[in-house]
Amino acid sequence: MVPLSYYLVLSGILFACGVTGFIIKRNIITIFMSIELMLNGVNLSFVAFAANWKALSGQVFVFFVMVVAAAEAAVGLAIIIAVYRNRETLNVDRVNLLKL
Amino acid sequence: MTSNLYLWLIPILPLIGAAINGFLGKRLSRQAVSAVALTFSGAAFAMALYVASQFSSLSLPHIETVAPWIRAGQFQVDFGFYLDQLSLVMLLVVTGVGFLIHIYSVGYMWEEGGFYRFFSYLNLFMFFMLTLVLANNYLLMFIGWEGVGLASYLLIGFWFIKDSAASAGKKAFITNRVGDFGFLIALFLLIQHFGTLTFSDLFQKVSALSPETAGAGLLTAIGLLLMVGAAGKSAQIPLYVWLPDAMEGPTPVSALIHAATMVTAGVYMVARSHAIFERAPEALTVVAIIGTLTALFAATIGVAQTDIKKVLAYSTVSQLGYMFIALGVAAFSAGIFHLMTHAFFKGLLFLAAGSVIHSVGGEQDMRRMGGLRTKIPVTFWTMTIATFAIAGIPPLAGFFSKDEILWRAYQASWIYWVIGVFTAFLTSFYMFRLWFMTFFGTYRGEAESGHGQDPHGHGHGIHESPKIMLVPLVILAILSVVGGWIGVPGSLGGSNRFDHFLGPVFRSTAPALNAAHTAPGETAPPENQTEGTEPQTGHSTELAFTGISVLAGLLGLGLAYLLYYRRPELPHRIATSLGSFYEAVRNKYYVDEIYAAIFIKPLIDGSSKVLWKGIDQGVIDNSVNDAADGARDVSDAVRRMQSGNIRSYASWVALGAACVLAYMIWMGTR
Amino acid sequence: MLHLIIFLVFAAVCIAGAVSLLVQRHPINSALSLIAVMVSLAVEYLLLGAEFVAAVQVIVYAGAIMVLFVFVIMLLNAGVEERTLGSRVATIFGIPAMLVGSGLLAWVLVQRSGTGSVAAGALWGDPQKIAQLLFHEFLLPFEVTSVLVLIAIMGAVVLASRPDQAQPGKKEG
Amino acid sequence: MNTPQGVEYIRILPEIVLSVFGMAIMLLDPLLDDRRAPRLLGVVALVGSFAALAATLLQTQSPGLAFWGMVKVDSFSIFFHFLITAITAVVVLTSFEYMEVQKIHAGEYYGLVLFGAVGMCLMSSAVELVLIFIALEISSISTYILAGFRQRAAISSESSLKYFLLGSFATAFFLYGVALMFGATGSTSISLIGQSLSQSPAPLLAYAGIAFMFVGLGFKVAAAPFHIWTPDVYEGAPSPVVGFMSTAPKAAVFAVLLRILFEAHAPGRLWLIWIVAALSMTLGNIGALVQSNVKRLLAYSSIAHAGYLLVAFAALPANGIPAAMFYTASYAAMNVGAFAVISHFAGSGERLVTLEDYAGLGKRSPLLAATLTIFLLSLIGIPMTGGFFAKFYVFSAALQANLPGLVIVGVLNSAVAAYYYLRLIVVMYMRDAREDAPVSRIPLAMGTALVITVFATVYLGVLPGRILEYAAQSANELMR
Amino acid sequence: MNTPTIHSAILTLVTFIPMAGALFLVMFPRRDREIRGFALLVSLLTFVLSLHLPAYFHRNQAGFQFELNVPWIPTPNIHYHMGVDGISMWLVVLTTFLTPLGVLISWKSIHDRVKEFFILFLILETALIGVFVSLDLFLFYFFWEATLIPMALLIGVWGHGRRVYAAVKFFLYTMIASVFMLAAILWLYARTGTFDFVTIRNAIHNGQVEGFAAAAPWLFLGFFVAFAVKVPLFPFHTWLPDAHVEAPTAGSVILAGVLLKMGTYGLLRFNLGLFPEQARANASWISILALIGIIYGALVAMVQPNMKKLIAYSSISHLGFVVMGIFSFTSAGLDGAMFIMLAHGISTGGLFMLAGILYERRHTYEISEYGGLATPMPAYATFFLFITLASVGLPLLNGFVGEFLVLSGAFSAHPVYGILGATGVIWSACYLLWMYQRVFFGKVTHHENLAIPDLTGREKLALWPAAVVALVMGVAPLWWLNAIEPAVQSALAPFSQLASKVVGQ
């Protein structure tokens, strides 16, 4: 018997960790991973709510999220490669040609 | 309206002349130009004579309304003309003297450049002056009022190459404007309280008011404001400063505008507004005081002037002062009488002076003249007549009018009389001083030294002026002799026809006279209740006073004779002994300098430094620009958000998200 | 009871993995810890009865996606990330905002999640039911995802392909 | 459990058409030789977008739900379909020249544009959060990629990276919002959510959900404080793409916002939107004041315009929704046009993008300058241009909702905004060109695009009635 | 000719013929001569057509005439509603009168981008006329804004020295101010559902607008700010000198002659027409601002070293008279205000033309650069003197009538204002005559001025009409006042209790 709120809080924590990672990490790939972490958090709450509402659509939603995540991963990593090719760095703090 | 005299033609005729000369004159020959000018001014004069001939058959005042001019709400002003004895006198003086001076000018200006310009200006002046005289409402009068100002501006600045001339013109116009400002305010008051500016209705409404209520101040205020206007136009203290400078203009101009006609407009206007003034005793008193002071003040200055025209100018100012004394004591007809005679002899004086200047090649400084008596006899004799006339030596014109004024002034208050007599003494003194210095003794200058601007001095020595200039001199001389005889006071066995003639105009004055007389404190003899009807008693006293004033005149003559004929070295010693005072007098009491210091300079500096540089650029523009810069700085600050660093961006997003979340939760929990 | 313990254990693992993702200095370690998070999440899904989701989680996420990550990390042989202080904003605003936000969120979730608790396998998401949904109600999204994947492929191709050497690699902008 | 019938396919016909053409392009790409490829593929894409336009017209006959309540065709969705496909067509036109000048893979480019359009169209017609989410991702990802299309330019890939990372970041927020919404109502269908929210007092979770969804969508429309990515991304991305992604996805996202906020009766939104709108307008305009790079300048201006648009969201639905719809339309017209001019003028490698480069354009190419001037005037909001009526409707809607404060902020902002648009006009006409290099003559496709956009801008400015009527009617349908 | 159709169509014709001409110019003539000639033709045609208005105008009839009212945009309910009354009619004629002169005066002075210049000039004319004839608030606002761009471009492209600064300043001042008006208009629309001026006015007078009482002060201010900047009233005036100094001659002529009148016209039409109570409540401080404008403008004008700046500041002073007259709420004041608007249009327009003529010859406006010009160019000096005197307010010239009426009106409403305002009579003489003396009198100081050519026939052609009109307006003002009076009376109707104090009760 696990209270629903536990799951939700866990998902919230994961989401928060993802946000934190995005904010503090310097390596672009890691930042991207943090985004994935956020998505995982979201997924957890979807599943939890699905269980809560006895509505399978929640679980289906998770599939789509995964697909999207996969797609994003492909595109994102491609972009990262492109950037790396142009700038020879993976440090976001050094990727700031565009400013002001 | 009995019969239509086409009064509007009188002013229009000179205007046509002005237009013709102005637009075409450039191509016309001098003969043609002068012909046009003379024709039209002469025609105006003829019209005036015709009107005079018809005069007896008219029902006075004779009013002709031509067309409406301005209408706003219930307030309306027409182009309308107003003819009564007063305007008739003015009409004749203006057209007559004006015509003569036109003739004179043909000779005087013959060699001048801009001949056509001169005559078109001169005709223009005639137009405005006649409009002023014939107007049947204050606004139309104001047209003429401003118009003559314009004409004088143009004519003073006729030799615009000379900066002094240009400045003098400007000075004249602006000083007049100051006066007109008062005039305008007076008009506004009239409009506000009487709703009309047309003389007939207006005076009707005014007459309804009794002088007692005048203490309420409305009429007094109006009167004072009108007086401001008059002071500007007629060169009274404190606005007289422009007139002496106005002598920069050609001499005929000085004669016509700054002696005979325009400067008397103020007198005419006050006389025209007698209905108001009579009900505003305080105003009248002010008029009298201003007149007195001006008369004295100007006379003293005149004593020390050496420029022949300047002397005449100051004498004009002081003579105008006389007229205002007359008005101030409600002796309107006397004032007008003096106006007329003064027009004759002062016009003559100027023309003669012009002839002198002409003959000595543009020299105006009396110290470089002398002994001209024999060389230019006609000028000399006419000048002599004029001088005696202005000095008030019987039986010349000036004597009667001046005597009349003095007598009436005495009736009001002895102070006026004393000052008046003293002024009369001064007048005759400086006039004879001029006379002696110019015509007697030995010639002190050399004709060849002509002023640059006045191309008369080429070569040939002193010569009498051409006929065309002398004829007007002679005519005016005659007038200066006989002009006074139409106003011989009863005391001298005359019947003062002039006074009787003008009587009807001022007859409506009964209620006010007490106030007018009692104002200065001296109680007037009760029998002098009405203008026009001379008191039967008191001829003896009047005669005595007449004697005194004549005496004063002769005294002046004597003194001048002593100082400037017998012992020409004396004046210098006196001057040195008087020292600084004499200096002050010579420099016209530094009035111009004072005005410059307390009005003009602060105004210019203030506007330039404080208003323009300070407020306009300093405060307003700067604040606007600062606002712009401020925006730019803020913009920079906003741009700083764009550090270009993804993590910062994410932080902003997170921050925003947190805020939104907090807000929504707050909304949800409420 | 056991149920709760399992949850807590794997929740702990989850959080530990997440934290280590943050603290690890080398991308590979971060990736590995992320995998740990995902696997333990799969267990949580099982606890919630979403067996199919759990399976997919392990296969697709932990398997495919993370492999991709690791591959890229290797490809670009990303080293230990250096300590650069490119963004003061992040420390001044970002972290506090994150803390506040997550605090609020947690409060909401605890306060008003509006339910009691869920039993193990409260809702049994077996493949059959899922398939039913996926191919009827969610048919359109399912089809549309194909477009999404298509785009992803194209994008990867375009971006990852070297720019043609028409004018040899000069950088602009 | 029955299979969908034909009419339901008509209800997604535009999307189908677009994706079919997209695939066609991908198949053709390898078959053609590189010289002729761009032009041909462009034509295909153009045909495709026009076909989609036609399909949209076809839709008007058959409104209604489809695919188990996933999509809903109503005049609202048709409006946005029409708008998006039109934008796509124009963007394709503007891209012809660009392809050749910049030497970039035409095939993928056009394919991505069309596929992106698919996502956007779906967003405007989807009534189910799952579908909305996927459609959103489609449009976003395609734009991420498009942003990075100038591979040789470092800034391009950087902008793509920024857009991508931050975009996914925001998507995560949106997704979390959806999750919470699902948790609050147990459903992901907007209509059902609407019902449950309108019946009982909304649970706190719903508020949180709205908050997170708003963050995600707000990011996509570049509303402050989620706007910061915009300038960088716009500056780096290829100009036609900027013209595309600053209008079409925004329109779609605004459609979604409208549906979520109004159709789902999202609670407690007024002041949130008030503040966000005011913030966006102010930050956007102020930030633009000192920009010297034209693309950046327009990026800031687009932030500001998002703000104006949000003003309508604060107003009452009855006249707020039509105002917003009209605004998206006119903004699309003028912005696409403006970026078309920019991309034509920028030349190869997009070198000429600073204000100084525009000096003397009035002399060097009067036509181009005049066109750009029209767009700028419209952006300022001078009467007789679409921009004016857009602002006008928005503000009057706000006034009818009794929000004078917001209107004052708005009008002041539009006055301030005049300054920086004016700067560009001033530079074009009143500065002398540094070098009088004649601008390359405008090719046919670009010319057509400019004509269309100019016409649209002016038409919306002179006879806005029809469009607004339609918008109002669709708003009523939405409310029902 | 005299059929109702032409009556309803005439305004549209007058308004849009210049625009049509501009479009034609865009396409056809190539050579500069043709362009100029065509522009002149169009403007003259417009002028002739506009004479139809006074010709068939029913004097002594209030209300709007030559009305045309057709729906334009259903939502919002915008009508194409045009019409003139005695007030706006003359301003239309003024515009059409000044435009040909502007074309003539810029005949030679504009040599590059001639085509664009005249196109913009004609467009500007259309916009200006539109402002005066439109009775639909939206239409009004449209034309109002439409005047902005051509004017700014005229200044910024064909101006001198700091033209860009001036143009931007002009644009921003007006733009920022007019958005407040837009807000006010929007509010009215939101409450009444119409833009029709007459409808709104009646609705307000019948108190059918809910929440009006509370909003009225702000609405009044909204309109007021927009107009005050245009006029320009004292604190908002600093854009004017810059704009004038930099603008090309024709630009200045139109700017001073017509553009400024938009502000005073707006005050008269909208601030008085829609918010009588507010107008009366705020009259005091507005009049004081006007008063400051009169004196301040004159004093600052006196010390300007730059001829055009001087004239610009003098306009500030003159427009101060207008505002004072308007807010005296007396028929004399309003009549006078209207009359000054027209007179100032003619005389100041003339002055700017003259200044421009001088600039063409010597390329400077610095007064110190001149002196003694009366000798080399007498005809020019004469025209200049004449226009100067008209501007000084010499009786029988156009300046006087208006000033007199305004002052008497202001005086009867509030003596102190009247008196202080009347000092303007002195100032104007000071600065103008001083300037005249410095430019024309004395010896020629700069040798390059010795050979300076006098007026050419074309310039005379441009100056004569102005001079003649100035004279006619001074001699026969009734021709204008007759038409103005009824409109003024109806404008004053709501002020009846004040109107009882109208001069000459």
Side-chain angles (χ1 to χ4, degrees), chain B residues 384-396:
Chain B
T384 312
I385 294 171
T387 312
F388 277 87
I390 194 175
I393 310 296
L396 284 72

PDB file of all heavy atoms in Angstrom, chain B residues 384-396:
ATOM      1  N   THR B 384      11.261 133.326 -39.730  1.00  0.00           N
ATOM      2  CA  THR B 384      11.070 134.355 -38.715  1.00  0.00           C
ATOM      3  C   THR B 384       9.613 134.371 -38.257  1.00  0.00           C
ATOM      4  O   THR B 384       9.301 134.302 -37.061  1.00  0.00           O
ATOM      5  CB  THR B 384      11.443 135.728 -39.305  1.00  0.00           C
ATOM      6  OG1 THR B 384      12.687 135.610 -39.954  1.00  0.00           O
ATOM      7  CG2 THR B 384      11.492 136.773 -38.207  1.00  0.00           C
ATOM      8  N   ILE B 385       8.726 134.412 -39.229  1.00  0.00           N
ATOM      9  CA  ILE B 385       7.304 134.451 -38.884  1.00  0.00           C
ATOM     10  C   ILE B 385       6.969 133.269 -37.983  1.00  0.00           C
ATOM     11  O   ILE B 385       6.410 133.414 -36.889  1.00  0.00           O
ATOM     12  CB  ILE B 385       6.446 134.408 -40.158  1.00  0.00           C
ATOM     13  CG1 ILE B 385       6.662 135.680 -40.969  1.00  0.00           C
ATOM     14  CG2 ILE B 385       4.992 134.207 -39.823  1.00  0.00           C
ATOM     15  CD1 ILE B 385       6.047 135.653 -42.331  1.00  0.00           C
ATOM     16  N   ALA B 386       7.430 132.085 -38.434  1.00  0.00           N
ATOM     17  CA  ALA B 386       7.108 130.882 -37.674  1.00  0.00           C
ATOM     18  C   ALA B 386       7.653 131.004 -36.252  1.00  0.00           C
ATOM     19  O   ALA B 386       6.972 130.737 -35.259  1.00  0.00           O
ATOM     20  CB  ALA B 386       7.703 129.671 -38.360  1.00  0.00           C
ATOM     21  N   THR B 387       8.890 131.485 -36.159  1.00  0.00           N
ATOM     22  CA  THR B 387       9.513 131.570 -34.847  1.00  0.00           C
ATOM     23  C   THR B 387       8.703 132.490 -33.934  1.00  0.00           C
ATOM     24  O   THR B 387       8.365 132.158 -32.793  1.00  0.00           O
ATOM     25  CB  THR B 387      10.940 132.122 -34.992  1.00  0.00           C
ATOM     26  OG1 THR B 387      11.595 131.414 -36.027  1.00  0.00           O
ATOM     27  CG2 THR B 387      11.682 131.955 -33.693  1.00  0.00           C
ATOM     28  N   PHE B 388       8.355 133.633 -34.458  1.00  0.00           N
ATOM     29  CA  PHE B 388       7.560 134.553 -33.635  1.00  0.00           C
ATOM     30  C   PHE B 388       6.232 133.907 -33.278  1.00  0.00           C
ATOM     31  O   PHE B 388       5.733 134.040 -32.160  1.00  0.00           O
ATOM     32  CB  PHE B 388       7.349 135.883 -34.375  1.00  0.00           C
ATOM     33  CG  PHE B 388       8.518 136.805 -34.221  1.00  0.00           C
ATOM     34  CD1 PHE B 388       9.596 136.723 -35.096  1.00  0.00           C
ATOM     35  CD2 PHE B 388       8.562 137.730 -33.186  1.00  0.00           C
ATOM     36  CE1 PHE B 388      10.677 137.550 -34.935  1.00  0.00           C
ATOM     37  CE2 PHE B 388       9.657 138.550 -33.034  1.00  0.00           C
ATOM     38  CZ  PHE B 388      10.719 138.470 -33.900  1.00  0.00           C
ATOM     39  N   ALA B 389       5.692 133.159 -34.241  1.00  0.00           N
ATOM     40  CA  ALA B 389       4.392 132.541 -33.975  1.00  0.00           C
ATOM     41  C   ALA B 389       4.506 131.565 -32.812  1.00  0.00           C
ATOM     42  O   ALA B 389       3.757 131.626 -31.832  1.00  0.00           O
ATOM     43  CB  ALA B 389       3.914 131.793 -35.222  1.00  0.00           C
ATOM     44  N   ILE B 390       5.511 130.724 -32.880  1.00  0.00           N
ATOM     45  CA  ILE B 390       5.608 129.712 -31.823  1.00  0.00           C
ATOM     46  C   ILE B 390       5.986 130.373 -30.501  1.00  0.00           C
ATOM     47  O   ILE B 390       5.572 129.938 -29.418  1.00  0.00           O
ATOM     48  CB  ILE B 390       6.635 128.631 -32.204  1.00  0.00           C
ATOM     49  CG1 ILE B 390       6.474 127.417 -31.277  1.00  0.00           C
ATOM     50  CG2 ILE B 390       8.042 129.147 -32.163  1.00  0.00           C
ATOM     51  CD1 ILE B 390       7.351 126.258 -31.629  1.00  0.00           C
ATOM     52  N   ALA B 391       6.725 131.468 -30.599  1.00  0.00           N
ATOM     53  CA  ALA B 391       7.110 132.143 -29.367  1.00  0.00           C
ATOM     54  C   ALA B 391       5.914 132.829 -28.719  1.00  0.00           C
ATOM     55  O   ALA B 391       5.990 133.306 -27.594  1.00  0.00           O
ATOM     56  CB  ALA B 391       8.203 133.168 -29.659  1.00  0.00           C
ATOM     57  N   GLY B 392       4.797 132.856 -29.433  1.00  0.00           N
ATOM     58  CA  GLY B 392       3.594 133.419 -28.847  1.00  0.00           C
ATOM     59  C   GLY B 392       3.592 134.939 -28.845  1.00  0.00           C
ATOM     60  O   GLY B 392       3.122 135.591 -27.925  1.00  0.00           O
ATOM     61  N   ILE B 393       4.211 135.477 -29.880  1.00  0.00           N
ATOM     62  CA  ILE B 393       4.184 136.942 -29.983  1.00  0.00           C
ATOM     63  C   ILE B 393       2.937 137.340 -30.765  1.00  0.00           C
ATOM     64  O   ILE B 393       2.714 136.842 -31.854  1.00  0.00           O
ATOM     65  CB  ILE B 393       5.438 137.442 -30.742  1.00  0.00           C
ATOM     66  CG1 ILE B 393       6.705 136.826 -30.164  1.00  0.00           C
ATOM     67  CG2 ILE B 393       5.489 138.952 -30.746  1.00  0.00           C
ATOM     68  CD1 ILE B 393       6.972 137.235 -28.738  1.00  0.00           C
ATOM     69  N   PRO B 394       2.107 138.157 -30.210  1.00  0.00           N
ATOM     70  CA  PRO B 394       0.930 138.591 -30.955  1.00  0.00           C
ATOM     71  C   PRO B 394       1.373 139.375 -32.176  1.00  0.00           C
ATOM     72  O   PRO B 394       2.482 139.934 -32.182  1.00  0.00           O
ATOM     73  CB  PRO B 394       0.196 139.479 -29.955  1.00  0.00           C
ATOM     74  CG  PRO B 394       1.238 139.937 -29.001  1.00  0.00           C
ATOM     75  CD  PRO B 394       2.225 138.819 -28.899  1.00  0.00           C
ATOM     76  N   PRO B 395       0.564 139.432 -33.191  1.00  0.00           N
ATOM     77  CA  PRO B 395      -0.761 138.790 -33.304  1.00  0.00           C
ATOM     78  C   PRO B 395      -0.687 137.501 -34.096  1.00  0.00           C
ATOM     79  O   PRO B 395      -1.567 137.257 -34.922  1.00  0.00           O
ATOM     80  CB  PRO B 395      -1.526 139.860 -34.054  1.00  0.00           C
ATOM     81  CG  PRO B 395      -0.488 140.423 -35.015  1.00  0.00           C
ATOM     82  CD  PRO B 395       0.849 140.273 -34.358  1.00  0.00           C
ATOM     83  N   LEU B 396       0.395 136.795 -33.918  1.00  0.00           N
ATOM     84  CA  LEU B 396       0.528 135.608 -34.759  1.00  0.00           C
ATOM     85  C   LEU B 396      -0.258 134.439 -34.177  1.00  0.00           C
ATOM     86  O   LEU B 396      -0.674 134.465 -33.005  1.00  0.00           O
ATOM     87  CB  LEU B 396       2.000 135.246 -34.927  1.00  0.00           C
ATOM     88  CG  LEU B 396       2.764 136.149 -35.914  1.00  0.00           C
ATOM     89  CD1 LEU B 396       2.985 137.520 -35.314  1.00  0.00           C
ATOM     90  CD2 LEU B 396       4.048 135.520 -36.363  1.00  0.00           C
TER      91      LEU B 396
END
